[in-house]
């Protein structure tokens, strides 16, 4: 029996476009052909008609939003006064509130407590010994799970000491210890508020959307202007970046508390506050802790970016190394961030999954009831006090540190020497045959047609409201004079998403059908996702130098994870009965894949695509550092010039592109789901 | 059993849909099923009257989706009805302020849930003590009370466990202990045994009967299982599509179903297990000889072997132990084999 004669089951039929698919085909072909034609001949058209407005947005209609914003912020900072105090005072006050605890934590971890100023400062109390910090981490891991996690976490922190990263790592840890509680508690409270009030949630949702899609660089600028260069500004930016998922997570966690549990609380006579704090939040706590884990990971993701506006520590080390093209130093500090991210990720995950243990017998003495806590306290006190006398207990002895910088530098150099030709050939191949043609296509599209085509496509897929919104957003970009850079953004994102899907989806499909592949790929993907986005840049720059190509590779690597993950998930969550039905009707393996698994996994694939686009865009902004000429660069320039308006407008433009992509892909996923009858 | 009414619910409606208040006013608080369908409104509870008497086990029985949960939540005001009145000890439950309602729930009401609704982060002891904690009772006293309740439901030794370490039946015992720890007089149970395996369910029903014989609560018990209803109830209300088809004792339901729908349920039930001697006895004549005397409350199934073994009829006694009727082997066997009585 040949492939084609197999009976099609109803499942397979629903996998195909239904009525009107002929019309759809014509629509998309015409749209594409027109775009292609205009893109190819727009320049010729402009020459022939001498109509410059075809390729440039007319200056007469330009929107000068950026200057307005800059002026407004300047007025805020310089002139606004509330009578008794000025706006400036308010920001200073806020900064002081954050700075005080930060200074204490920093003193505790690394600086020690001093009295007096500058040169005359006398040490009152030493910082915690490095051994004490490791002991606390080990004890936390043991408390949250078991000794093997304790060994992992202890090993990670020991690594930081042995490989000479301790001081920077503690500075980074100090900002994590401040940012995470603020982000966690703030997110929890906002999440509770939006659980309680629908109105509040509706008001908050677009703000969160923007916070998550506007690239970080864009709001670094106003923060820099308002709070000045320094750790406080960095902390504020970090909190803004890390908090939104906590808010969402809290709301969803509270909403998924079973109705019966709430009713039980009411029937036992709980008041509103008791219901929230004694019933709802404790019941939802494991899911809420997942949000805390995300806050931690996003905080670490920010360390390098935050160091642009004054955070020190590992992030700062990476940044300076990148700027100096110091291969060894960059990788060394980058690896230290990764090590720390892995330790804190596993630790916070263990807390989220922690199972409650029976309470200890209250008749035992304290040190028997809580051996871990008392033991750790003893180690902390002993090592720290001995730090007064023994230097090696205070800070890890320098003589015993190992540096890997040279190792990395030689390694990279060796690769560059031996594989230069191969790397260069691959680079040129991709550049000539993929990147340049796509770039020419996108940058040739005249702005007016670009607005129209995005509106038409979005409208066709998601209804006229979406179409109008998308067109308006594109018009905003054009009117802000950012059309060219936006098209570079779109071109890089498109190529990156295409490549990431090309690699990621087959891997995901494989993992979805094969348990072994799944466990191996799962572990790799998990680790990739713990890496701060910035870290991807380091090896890429070392190998491929600066430019679009490096940016592209970093984006593909960073955006790969969701493509794999969602594809695997989609394949795995297909109803096994449908697979059996396919098998019974005699499908071969290939047919099963092509006609049953992939069509049924389509909604999940689309969600993965959505995530891939979002990650690629967020990485793209960071790649401005390696010299792309897109919206990311615009934001980065604004940052270096502290130009609030320019940064925000470019940032909002990136957010608009992200929002359009998000809504369109979601509309596509929704219609696919409806067609397949999956909820 | 006294016949004093504790919870009196009249003309209660609970609808889901748009613009309910205008809809109800337009139809004078008595829309027909057709009206509901025309306006796309779901009638979860439709004009229900029930009067729950002190000390009785009142079972609300109906198939899934018939509105049982909604009704019992209206009775405890977890859900606000759209129309109707609910009187509790002569007070208007629906007019109570939040503070009053909290007070009533803390002192007078307890509720058991189908899926247990235990708090996962608390031990058995802490779960059972939770209602007292909410009231601000000090730790020592609430733990003593909770321990006593845990003992009553047969979970001693498990007080340090967390809910997930217990089986379904044990978890529901915790739920029961928790709902009784404040010593409420009105006890709601929403399908408390439906999530359990049949054997465990049976065991829990026995446990429930034992508890009630000790505690004498006023009980509103929800179930979709007609056998369970018959086994436990003093009176049963049969619910269908949000309306009450019939409210009666199990025996009346069996012998006198009001609608074909109710009759359909009774058809497959063993009558002998429901019908009591006092309803098949013939008037007491006073002259013997007798083979013995039996309480009229016993069912035919419980006594048929004894009656059959006796040579003569048995006297039937009322609650006070006074002979009020007599029953012969023939009468008992008629019920057993479903032969019409002569
Ligand atoms: N919040 C709600 N919104 C809409 N319909 C509901 C809601 N709650 C219950 N219903 C409907 O009311 C009817 C009765 O539900 P319920 O009281 O849960 O039934 P039971 O407990 O007897 O299974 C069902 O048809 C259900 O779909
Ligand atoms: Mg129910």
């Amino acid at each position: 029996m040949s492939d084609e004669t197999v009976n099609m089951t109803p499942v397979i039929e629903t996998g195909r476009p239904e009525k009107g698919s002929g019309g759809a085909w014509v629509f998309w072909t015409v749209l594409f052909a027109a775009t292609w034609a205009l893109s190819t001949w727009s320049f010729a058209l402009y020459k022939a008609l001498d109509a410059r407005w075809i390729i440039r947005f007319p200056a007469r209609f330009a929107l000068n939003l950026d200057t307005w914003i800059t002026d407004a912020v300047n007025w805020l900072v310089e002139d606004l006064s509330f009578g008794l105090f000025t706006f400036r005072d308010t920001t200073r006050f806020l900064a002081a509130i954050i700075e005080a605890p930060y200074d204490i934590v920093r003193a505790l971890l690394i600086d020690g407590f001093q009295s007096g100023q500058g040169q005359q400062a006398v040490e009152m109390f030493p910082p915690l010994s490095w051994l004490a910090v490791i002991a606390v981490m080990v004890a936390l891991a043991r408390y949250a799970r078991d000794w093997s996690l304790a060994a992992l976490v202890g090993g990670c922190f020991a690594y930081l000491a042995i490989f000479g990263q301790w001081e920077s790592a503690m500075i980074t840890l100090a900002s994590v210890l401040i940012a995470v509680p603020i982000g966690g508690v703030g997110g929890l409270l906002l999440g509770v508020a939006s659980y309680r009030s629908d109105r509040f949630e509706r008001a908050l949702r677009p703000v969160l959307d923007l916070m998550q899609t506007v690239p970080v660089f864009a709001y670094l600028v106003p923060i820099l202007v308002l709070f000045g260069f320094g750790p406080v500004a960095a902390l504020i930016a970090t909190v803004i970046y890390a908090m939104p998922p906590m808010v969402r997570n809290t709301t969803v966690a509270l909403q998924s508390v079973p109705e019966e549990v709430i009713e039980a609380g009411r029937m036992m006579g709980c008041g509103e506050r008791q219901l929230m704090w004694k019933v709802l939040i404790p019941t939802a706590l494991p899911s809420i802790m997942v949000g805390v884990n995300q806050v931690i990971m996003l905080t670490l993701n920010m360390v390098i970016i935050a160091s642009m506006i004054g955070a020190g520590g590992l992030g700062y080390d990476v940044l300076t190394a990148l700027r100096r093209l110091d291969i060894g130093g960059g990788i060394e500090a980058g690896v230290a961030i990764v090590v720390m991210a892995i330790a804190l990720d596993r630790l916070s995950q263990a807390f989220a999954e922690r199972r409650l243990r029976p309470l200890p017998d209250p008749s035992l003495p304290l040190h028997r009831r809580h051996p871990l806590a008392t033991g750790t306290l003893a180690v902390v006190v002993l090592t720290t006090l001995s730090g007064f006398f023994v230097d090696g207990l205070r800070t890890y002895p320098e003589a015993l540190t190992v540096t890997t910088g040279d190792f990395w530098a030689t390694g990279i150099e060796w690769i560059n020497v031996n594989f230069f030709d191969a790397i260069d050939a691959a680079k040129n191949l991709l550049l000539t045959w993929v990147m340049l043609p796509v770039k020419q296509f996108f940058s040739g599209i005249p702005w007016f047609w670009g607005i129209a085509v995005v509106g038409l496509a979005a409208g066709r897929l998601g209804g006229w409201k979406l179409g109008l919104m998308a067109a308006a957003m594109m018009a905003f970009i054009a009117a802000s004079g950012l059309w060219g850079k936006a098209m570079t953004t779109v071109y890089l994102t498109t190529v990156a998403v295409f490549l990431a899907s090309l690699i990621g989806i087959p891997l995901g499909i494989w993992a979805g059908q094969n348990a072994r592949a799944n466990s191996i790929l799962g572990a790799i993907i998990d680790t990739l996702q713990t890496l701060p986005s910035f870290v991807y840049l380091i090896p890429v720059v070392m190998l491929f130098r600066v430019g679009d190509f490096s940016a592209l590779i970093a984006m593909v690597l960073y955006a790969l994870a969701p493509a794999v993950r969602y594809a695997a998930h989609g394949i795995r969550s297909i109803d096994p009965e449908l697979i059996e039905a396919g098998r019974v009707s005699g499908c071969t393996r290939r047919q099963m894949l092509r006609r049953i698994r992939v069509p049924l996994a389509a909604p999940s694939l689309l969600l993965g695509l959505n995530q891939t686009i979002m990650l690629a865009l967020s990485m793209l902004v960071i790649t401005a550092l390696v010299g792309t000429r897109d919206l990311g660069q615009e934001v980065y320039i604004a940052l270096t010039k502290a130009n609030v308006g320019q940064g925000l407008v470019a940032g909002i433009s990136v957010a608009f592109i992200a929002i359009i992509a998000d809504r369109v892909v979601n509309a596509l996923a929704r219609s696919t789901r409806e067609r397949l009858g999956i909820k | 059993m006294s016949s004093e009414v504790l919870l009196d619910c009249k003309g209660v409606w609970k609808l889901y849909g748009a613009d309910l208040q205008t809809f109800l006013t337009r139809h004078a608080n008595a829309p027909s099923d057709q009206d509901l369908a025309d306006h796309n409104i779901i009638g979860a509870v439709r004009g229900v009257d029930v009067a729950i008497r002190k000390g009785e086990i009142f079972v609300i029985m109906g198939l899934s989706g018939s509105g049982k949960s909604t009704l019992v939540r209206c009775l405890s005001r977890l859900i606000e009805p759209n129309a109707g009145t609910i009187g509790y000890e002569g007070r208007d439950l629906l007019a109570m302020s939040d503070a009053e309602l909290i007070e009533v729930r803390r002192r007078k009401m307890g509720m058991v849930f189908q899926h247990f609704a235990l708090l996962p982060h608390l031990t058995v002891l802490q779960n059972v003590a939770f209602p007292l904690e909410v009231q601000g009772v000090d730790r020592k006293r609430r733990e003593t009370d909770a321990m006593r309740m845990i003992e009553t439901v047969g979970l001693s030794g498990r007080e340090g466990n967390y809910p997930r370490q217990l089986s379904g039946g044990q978890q529901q015992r915790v739920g029961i202990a928790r709902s009784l720890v404040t010593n409420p007089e009105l006890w709601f149970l929403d399908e408390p045994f439906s999530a359990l395996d049949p054997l465990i369910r049976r065991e829990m029903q026995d446990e429930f009967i034992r508890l009630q014989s000790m505690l004498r609560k006023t009980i509103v018990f929800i179930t979709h299982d007609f056998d369970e209803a018959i086994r436990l109830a003093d009176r049963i209300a049969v619910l269908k599509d949000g309306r009450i088809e019939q409210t009666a004792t199990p025996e009346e339901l069996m012998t006198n179903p009001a609608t074909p729908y109710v009759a359909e349920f009774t058809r497959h039930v063993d009558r002998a297990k429901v019908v009591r001697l006092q309803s098949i006895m013939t008037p007491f004549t006073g002259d013997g000889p007798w083979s013995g005397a039996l309480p009229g409350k016993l069912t035919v199934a419980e006594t048929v072997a004894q009656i059959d073994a006796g040579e003569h009829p048995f006297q039937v006694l009322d609650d006070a132990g006074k002979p009020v009727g007599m029953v012969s082997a023939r009468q008992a066997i008629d019920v057993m084999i479903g032969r019409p009585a002569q």
Side-chain angles (χ1 to χ4, degrees):
Chain A
M1 192 162 60
S2 88
D3 270 16
E4 305 322 312
T5 58
V6 173
N7 278 342
M8 296 209 305
T9 65
V11 175
I12 296 165
E13 272 164 4
T14 53
R16 295 256 161 107
E18 285 171 1
K19 62 177 166 56
S21 63
W25 198 81
V26 171
F27 174 84
W28 292 114
T29 317
V30 169
L31 204 65
F32 182 77
T35 311
W36 190 81
L38 270 167
S39 157
T40 314
W41 289 298
S42 63
F43 198 74
L45 212 59
Y46 143 62
K47 286 278 174 218
L49 302 177
D50 193 24
R52 202 171 149 67
W53 61 268
I54 292 181
I55 56 162
R56 279 199 81 87
F57 190 83
R60 250 182 318 141
F61 303 115
L63 202 59
N64 291 321
L65 199 58
D66 50 346
T67 27
W68 301 341
I69 292 178
T70 308
D71 291 346
V73 171
N74 285 343
W75 175 78
L76 271 183
V77 174
E78 274 155 31
D79 299 328
L80 179 60
S81 166
F82 306 104
L84 286 180
F85 53 94
T86 62
F87 186 75
R88 242 279 137 76
D89 295 334
T90 322
T91 58
R92 285 212 183 108
F93 175 69
L94 257 178
I97 291 182
I98 296 175
E99 190 152 24
Y102 174 75
D103 283 343
I104 293 174
V105 174
R106 218 183 125 138
L108 194 66
L109 286 177
I110 193 75
D111 292 342
F113 293 89
Q114 269 134 24
S115 96
Q117 295 284 315
Q119 297 289 317
Q120 285 93 46
V122 191
E123 181 165 84
M124 305 288 294
F125 201 79
L128 287 182
S129 152
W130 59 279
L131 278 172
V133 174
I134 295 181
V136 169
M137 287 297 164
V138 167
L140 284 175
R142 168 67 188 91
Y143 174 74
R145 184 165 297 154
D146 52 16
W147 282 115
S148 82
L149 182 71
L152 174 78
V153 171
C156 285
F157 275 83
Y159 173 95
L160 297 174
I162 295 170
F163 288 87
Q165 306 293 321
W166 189 258
E167 189 159 333
S168 295
M170 286 306 107
I171 295 174
T172 299
L173 187 62
S175 52
V176 171
L177 287 180
I178 296 300
V180 170
I182 297 178
V185 172
L188 181 78
L189 293 179
L190 288 175
V192 167
S194 47
Y195 170 79
R196 280 208 168 137
S197 148
D198 279 349
R199 185 120 48 89
F200 187 79
E201 193 194 358
R202 269 200 302 279
L204 194 64
R205 198 180 310 144
V207 178
L208 292 181
D209 274 349
L210 265 187
M211 272 163 91
Q212 283 190 302
T213 44
V214 170
V216 198
F217 285 163
Y219 51 77
L220 287 191
V221 194
I223 290 172
L224 188 62
V225 171
L226 293 180
F227 297 96
F229 187 88
V232 172
L235 279 172
I236 290 173
T238 305
V239 168
I240 293 178
Y241 176 70
M243 201 160 65
M246 181 72 193
V247 181
R248 292 228 157 101
N249 212 74
T250 305
T251 313
V252 172
L254 291 175
Q255 278 162 353
S256 44
V257 170
E259 188 62 27
E260 270 195 353
V261 172
I262 301 170
E263 290 172 343
R266 287 199 189 289
M267 282 311 287
M268 290 185 282
C270 289
E272 284 306 314
R273 197 171 306 157
Q274 286 175 321
L275 196 65
M276 179 56 70
W277 296 99
K278 284 183 176 254
V279 176
L280 278 164
I281 289 184
T283 306
L285 199 62
S287 321
I288 291 176
M289 279 303 293
V290 174
V292 174
N293 173 263
Q294 286 182 16
V295 174
I296 295 179
M297 297 322 286
L298 289 178
T299 301
L300 283 167
N301 206 347
M302 264 296 271
V303 293
I304 305 177
I305 298 169
S307 66
M308 290 179 187
I309 57 169
L314 294 171
Y316 181 74
D317 296 350
V318 172
L319 196 65
T320 42
L322 264 186
R323 282 182 179 149
R324 281 186 281 122
L325 278 185
D326 165 10
I327 300 176
I331 296 187
E332 226 178 354
V335 170
I337 295 180
V338 173
V339 166
M340 195 148 137
I342 289 176
L344 295 182
D345 176 45
R346 298 297 130 85
L347 189 59
S348 54
Q349 265 182 28
F351 268 99
E353 291 159 9
R354 198 173 91 88
R355 298 224 146 167
L356 297 164
R357 300 198 185 96
L359 305 175
D361 181 354
S363 60
L364 291 174
L366 187 69
H367 70 278
R368 295 273 307 282
R369 251 183 300 155
H370 301 289
L372 199 63
T374 42
T376 313
L377 193 67
V379 173
V380 169
V381 171
L382 267 177
T383 50
T384 303
L385 287 184
S386 336
F388 272 121
F389 315 107
V390 189
D391 261 354
L393 284 180
R394 269 185 88 124
T395 43
Y396 185 80
E398 196 137 348
L400 297 182
T401 55
V402 181
T403 164
T404 50
D406 290 341
F407 166 78
W408 294 116
T410 10
I412 294 278
E413 198 173 302
W414 182 81
I415 295 178
N416 272 335
V417 169
N418 287 284
F419 295 95
F420 181 80
D421 293 338
I423 291 175
D424 217 41
K427 184 171 159 179
N428 285 334
L429 210 68
L430 203 64
L431 270 174
T432 351
W433 292 105
V434 181
M435 296 176 70
L436 281 179
V438 177
K439 183 175 188 170
Q440 267 163 9
F441 171 72
F442 278 113
S443 50
I445 301 173
W447 58 270
F448 57 87
W449 180 249
I451 295 171
V453 84
V454 168
L456 285 173
R460 171 95 196 182
L461 290 170
W464 62 272
K465 269 191 202 160
L466 181 62
L468 270 186
M469 186 185 88
M473 287 176 166
M474 291 309 280
F476 170 88
I477 295 174
S480 304
L482 294 171
W483 187 260
K485 294 195 167 180
M487 283 303 113
T488 313
T489 304
V490 172
Y491 125 73
L492 271 171
T493 312
T494 308
V495 179
V497 168
F498 173 75
L499 288 179
S501 306
L502 200 67
I503 303 167
I505 293 178
L507 282 178
I509 291 177
W510 183 44
Q513 303 182 75
N514 181 326
R516 271 273 290 292
N518 187 41
S519 68
I520 297 171
L521 276 175
I524 297 176
I525 293 286
D526 275 350
T527 317
L528 277 183
Q529 288 209 315
T530 25
L531 304 189
S533 46
F534 226 103
V535 167
Y536 288 83
L537 274 188
I538 305 170
V540 170
V541 174
M542 306 301 172
L543 290 174
F544 308 112
R545 310 284 164 227
V546 296
D548 282 7
F549 185 76
S550 292
L552 185 75
I553 301 293
M555 285 163 78
V556 172
L557 286 177
Y558 187 59
L560 200 57
V564 179
R565 190 162 271 171
Y566 280 84
H569 173 77
I571 294 286
R572 231 174 305 139
S573 52
I574 295 172
D575 184 352
E577 275 190 10
L578 289 176
I579 304 290
E580 279 162 14
R583 203 162 280 148
V584 170
S585 36
C587 287
T588 62
R589 271 186 75 90
R590 285 237 337 260
Q591 287 173 322
M592 291 281 275
L593 194 60
R594 245 189 43 222
R595 300 192 146 172
I596 297 184
R597 292 190 207 247
V598 172
L600 283 175
S604 192
L605 291 180
L606 284 169
L607 285 181
L609 178 68
N610 194 8
Q611 288 298 308
T612 308
I613 297 175
M614 295 304 132
L615 288 190
L617 265 174
S618 70
M619 187 69 198
L620 177 64
V621 174
I622 292 167
T623 60
L625 281 183
V626 299
T628 51
R629 304 179 54 76
D630 60 350
L631 289 174
Q633 185 211 29
E634 182 82 4
V635 184
Y636 186 57
I637 294 173
L639 178 62
T640 51
K641 292 192 301 193
N643 184 335
V644 184
Q646 187 189 8
L648 274 185
V649 170
I652 289 171
S653 301
V654 177
F656 281 176
I657 293 176
I659 289 172
I660 293 172
D662 176 69
R663 300 295 136 84
V664 167
V665 176
N666 269 330
L668 210 60
R670 205 173 324 120
S671 68
T672 319
R673 269 202 304 274
E674 274 163 18
R675 196 148 43 75
L676 294 175
I678 307 170
K679 273 225 295 201
Chain B
M1 184 186 11
S2 88
S3 57
E4 190 188 332
V5 171
L6 185 66
L7 192 65
D8 192 13
C9 146
K10 290 207 181 86
V12 165
W13 288 82
K14 180 66 201 179
L15 308 175
Y16 291 102
D19 232 355
L20 298 171
Q21 235 38 61
T22 34
F23 171 80
L24 274 170
T25 331
R26 182 139 28 88
H27 294 92
N29 278 356
S32 69
D33 292 353
Q34 192 56 45
D35 295 333
L36 291 169
D38 290 347
H39 288 79
N40 252 335
I41 287 173
I42 298 172
V45 170
R46 308 181 189 185
V48 164
D49 298 314
V50 285
I52 288 141
R53 300 177 196 146
K54 235 177 199 158
E56 75 169 335
I57 302 181
F58 189 90
V59 172
I60 300 173
M61 205 288 308
L63 297 182
S64 156
S66 58
K68 310 178 295 289
S69 294
T70 312
L71 177 56
V72 78
R73 279 161 178 72
C74 289
L75 295 181
S76 55
R77 218 184 138 192
L78 283 169
I79 295 179
E80 298 287 338
N82 301 104
T85 59
I86 297 175
Y88 173 73
E89 285 186 321
R91 295 165 71 194
D92 182 355
L93 191 74
L94 298 178
M96 285 185 192
S97 69
D98 283 353
E100 287 173 307
L101 196 60
I102 286 180
E103 204 42 40
V104 166
R105 285 173 175 162
R106 285 184 176 180
R107 314 254 172 229
K108 309 275 175 126
M109 293 179 176
M111 187 154 173
V112 177
F113 295 87
Q114 181 172 2
H115 302 288
F116 325 135
L118 302 177
L119 298 176
H121 63 290
L122 300 181
T123 61
V124 168
L125 180 64
Q126 290 166 331
N127 259 297
V128 175
F130 189 79
L132 298 172
E133 184 191 336
V134 167
Q135 295 180 16
V137 175
D138 70 79
R139 186 181 176 134
K140 226 188 170 110
R141 234 196 68 208
R142 67 179 191 242
E143 291 195 342
T144 330
D145 286 6
M147 280 308 286
R148 196 174 319 130
M149 213 54 237
I150 289 172
E151 207 171 301
T152 310
V153 299
L155 277 181
S156 298
R158 292 304 205 135
E159 58 275 356
N161 288 113
Y162 286 92
R164 66 177 168 78
Q165 298 169 315
L166 303 179
S167 70
Q170 288 171 327
Q171 291 192 34
Q172 195 56 299
R173 282 170 198 264
V174 179
I176 288 174
R178 179 179 70 178
S179 68
L180 291 177
V181 75
T182 54
N183 195 19
E185 58 177 347
L186 182 55
W187 197 21
F188 297 103
L189 301 100
D190 183 8
E191 305 212 24
F193 310 140
S194 297
L196 306 176
D197 292 333
L199 277 180
I200 311 286
R201 193 181 309 162
R202 187 92 196 165
E203 191 187 310
M204 294 293 287
Q205 288 167 0
D206 293 338
E207 179 78 16
F208 173 78
I209 292 169
R210 184 181 70 80
L211 274 175
Q212 172 64 356
S213 68
M214 284 162 48
L215 302 171
R216 298 264 148 227
K217 304 284 177 197
T218 305
I219 293 174
V220 181
F221 190 106
I222 311 291
T223 182
H224 67 252
D225 177 352
F226 193 65
D227 289 327
E228 186 171 71
I230 287 197
R231 209 160 164 236
L232 304 179
D234 290 320
R235 290 194 302 146
I236 299 177
V238 178
L239 205 59
K240 181 190 177 219
D241 296 338
R243 287 190 197 277
I244 290 197
E245 293 270 304
Q246 184 174 11
T247 308
T249 65
E251 262 184 296
E252 279 165 17
L253 279 189
M254 296 296 303
T255 47
N256 229 338
T259 65
Y261 184 77
V262 178
E264 186 57 33
F265 278 108
T266 61
R267 181 169 311 159
H268 305 289
V269 176
D270 186 355
R271 286 169 48 90
K273 287 187 181 158
V274 181
V275 175
R276 298 168 197 271
L277 296 182
Q278 63 197 22
S279 28
I280 58 162
M281 66 189 183
T282 46
F284 190 62
T285 52
D287 30 72
W290 312 106
S291 286
L294 293 165
K297 272 195 143 167
L298 295 181
T299 63
V300 174
E302 287 167 313
T303 52
V304 66
Q306 201 183 341
I307 297 175
D308 188 42
E311 221 174 299
H312 306 288
F314 280 69
Q315 295 184 359
V316 178
L317 310 176
D318 67 4
D319 284 354
K322 223 178 73 188
V324 285
M326 52 192 200
V327 60
S328 67
R330 165 101 198 175
Q331 286 169 300
I333 291 168
D334 282 349
V335 174
M336 289 300 290
I337 62 177
R339 184 168 54 194
Q342 293 177 334

